[in-house]
Amino acid sequence: MLQPITTVHYLVLSASLLLIGTIGVLTRRNIVIILMSIELILNAVNINLVAFSRLYGDVAGQVFALFVIADAAAEAAVGLGIIIAFFRNRETLLADEMDLLKW
């Protein structure tokens, strides 16, 4: 017989997503991969918000998760626009080469 899914299961999933996202941000040089890793980190936060919202029976965590999703969508749109503009100028997507805005 299967055991019910508890809050601990959600926290383990969230911790694993956070770990994968953090490793992706710290080790990769491709800026698209870094943005995808940041999205993984934000999804880990959303899982935590919804899990604790369900645990305590409060809707505030779910509402806050919706705001995080909207913020992640805006960040992805703006970030991809900047990346496309940068790629047209420099023809690279490596984070080490992104010194265009330095003084």
Side-chain angles (χ1 to χ4, degrees):
M1 184 150 133
L2 296 176
Q3 296 178 353
I5 296 178
T6 62
T7 306
V8 175
H9 292 93
Y10 291 116
L11 294 179
V12 168
L13 174 65
S14 176
S16 62
L17 282 178
L18 182 72
L19 181 67
I20 292 169
T22 305
I23 289 172
V25 167
L26 294 177
T27 61
R28 299 295 177 181
R29 292 178 51 198
N30 190 339
I31 196 69
V32 176
I33 304 288
I34 292 172
L35 282 178
M36 288 172 52
S37 298
I38 291 171
E39 294 291 329
L40 277 176
I41 292 171
L42 290 173
N43 284 330
V45 170
N46 283 338
I47 290 173
N48 271 339
L49 287 170
V50 172
F52 283 116
S53 175
R54 179 176 171 250
L55 178 67
Y56 293 120
D58 190 15
V59 202
Q62 296 174 11
V63 171
F64 195 67
L66 286 175
F67 284 117
V68 172
I69 290 171
D71 182 51
E75 174 255 334
V78 171
L80 286 176
I82 291 171
I83 288 172
I84 289 171
F86 185 80
F87 183 75
R88 287 181 182 173
N89 288 334
R90 292 284 182 100
E91 296 180 357
T92 184
L93 289 178
L94 297 178
D96 297 339
E97 303 291 326
M98 293 199 172
D99 59 354
L100 185 66
L101 297 177
K102 283 188 179 176
W103 218 200

